Amino acid sequence: MNESPYPRSVRAEAAAAAADLQSVGPVQAVLRFYRRHDAVIEAALADSPGPVACRDGCAHCCQYKIEASAAEVLAIRRYVLSEFSAERRAEVLARAERNAAEAADLSHLEQLITNQVCPFLHERSCSIYPVRPINCRSFHSTDVAACRRSVEELREPTLQVPYFADVFDAARGSRDGFTQAGRTAGAEVTMYDLASAFVEAMQQAEDDTALQARRPMFARAKVIGAPA
C-alpha cells in the first residue's frame, strides 16, 4: 500500500523550513517555502488522474475570504512597496480597508462562507502572484462550474468544489510541515484576515524580529486562528 502524500510532505518541508528559519528569518523563509510548495503541487498534479480546471483569468476563488500568516503579509507588503506605483498602492489599500471594515464583525463561520473580491485582484489576475499566500497556492479545482456556483450561491457549507485528493494532501502536508517548523523555531504562526492584516502592515514600520517573539505581529488585524 502506497504511503499518503501527506506525511511525506510534512517531513520534507519541516526539515527544509527549519534550516531556513534559522538562517534567513521568517519572511525570506516563507518565500523559499513557496518555491518548494509550488514544486510539490506541480509534482502531485503530474501524477493526478486528469487536468485541473484552473486557468488564467478564472478568478472565482479570488472572491473567497483569504487568510495569511504574518510572514506572508510582510512579504506582500514588501512586494507592494517595491513593485506598485503610489497610485496603485493607494487603490489596493483602499480596497483592503473596505474589505476589513465589512468583515470586522463576522463570526468564524461567517468568515468561511463570505465572499469578498480580493483587494489584489486586478483585471481578473492576481497582482501579487509571486507572493500570493499559501491558501491561494494550494487551491485547485476539477470543475469550473462548481467554482462559479460557490461564488454565486455564497459558498453554502454543503457545496463542495471537487479536487484531486492526493494533490490536496500533498499541499496540506507541505503547509503543515512549514507550520510545524515555525512553531518549533518560536515563530508566530497566527493566521489573520489578509485584508485587515495588510492594512495594519502598511501603517507600521516592518520589524522581522517580532515574528520570532512568540507574540502577535498585528494588534488590530482580525485573527482567524492558528493552523492545527
Side-chain angles (χ1 to χ4, degrees):
M1 182 176 177
N2 293 333
E3 183 184 31
S4 162
Y6 178 79
R8 293 198 306 272
S9 291
V10 171
R11 290 193 299 267
E13 181 51 42
D20 284 347
L21 286 163
Q22 184 174 15
S23 63
V24 299
V27 178
Q28 284 301 316
V30 84
L31 295 176
R32 292 185 180 186
F33 161 59
Y34 285 160
R35 292 195 291 270
R36 292 190 298 268
H37 184 74
D38 290 349
V40 165
I41 293 177
E42 288 175 9
L45 285 172
D47 292 335
S48 65
V52 294
C54 308
R55 296 291 183 272
D56 289 344
C58 178
H60 300 300
C61 61
C62 299
Q63 298 182 58
Y64 299 164
K65 287 292 294 170
I66 302 298
E67 305 166 10
S69 69
E72 291 182 299
V73 174
L74 291 186
I76 292 170
R77 177 186 185 274
R78 288 183 182 180
Y79 186 84
V80 168
L81 290 176
S82 171
E83 302 297 327
F84 285 26
S85 67
E87 181 181 7
R88 182 80 182 112
R89 287 198 299 270
E91 177 187 341
V92 167
L93 184 58
R95 292 175 63 183
E97 289 171 341
R98 287 195 298 271
N99 281 9
E102 290 173 2
D105 296 325
L106 295 181
S107 68
H108 181 66
L109 176 59
E110 290 169 336
Q111 177 91 5
L112 292 176
I113 62 174
T114 295
N115 293 330
Q116 281 185 331
V117 176
C118 176
F120 301 105
L121 185 65
H122 180 65
E123 296 180 351
R124 299 191 66 79
S125 292
C126 177
S127 62
I128 57 164
Y129 194 78
V131 293
R132 67 199 186 281
I134 180 62
N135 285 354
C136 302
R137 292 170 187 270
S138 302
F139 188 84
H140 75 279
S141 169
T142 60
D143 185 352
V144 69
C147 295
R148 185 182 303 111
R149 289 197 303 273
S150 75
V151 174
E152 293 173 349
E153 298 175 21
L154 295 179
R155 296 184 69 196
E156 287 292 335
T158 56
L159 179 63
Q160 297 294 317
V161 174
Y163 55 84
F164 293 125
D166 280 356
V167 177
F168 177 84
D169 284 346
R172 185 169 60 93
S174 175
R175 178 204 66 193
D176 290 354
F178 185 81
T179 300
Q180 182 183 108
R183 277 205 182 91
T184 301
E188 186 193 358
V189 295
T190 305
M191 297 300 287
Y192 296 93
D193 168 69
L194 174 58
S196 60
F198 175 72
V199 170
E200 187 168 345
M202 292 293 285
Q203 295 170 343
Q204 63 187 30
E206 183 176 322
D207 180 9
D208 284 1
T209 60
L211 293 176
Q212 296 172 295
R214 295 182 182 272
R215 67 174 186 268
M217 178 73 191
F218 305 115
R220 300 182 303 279
K222 184 170 185 175
V223 173
I224 304 301

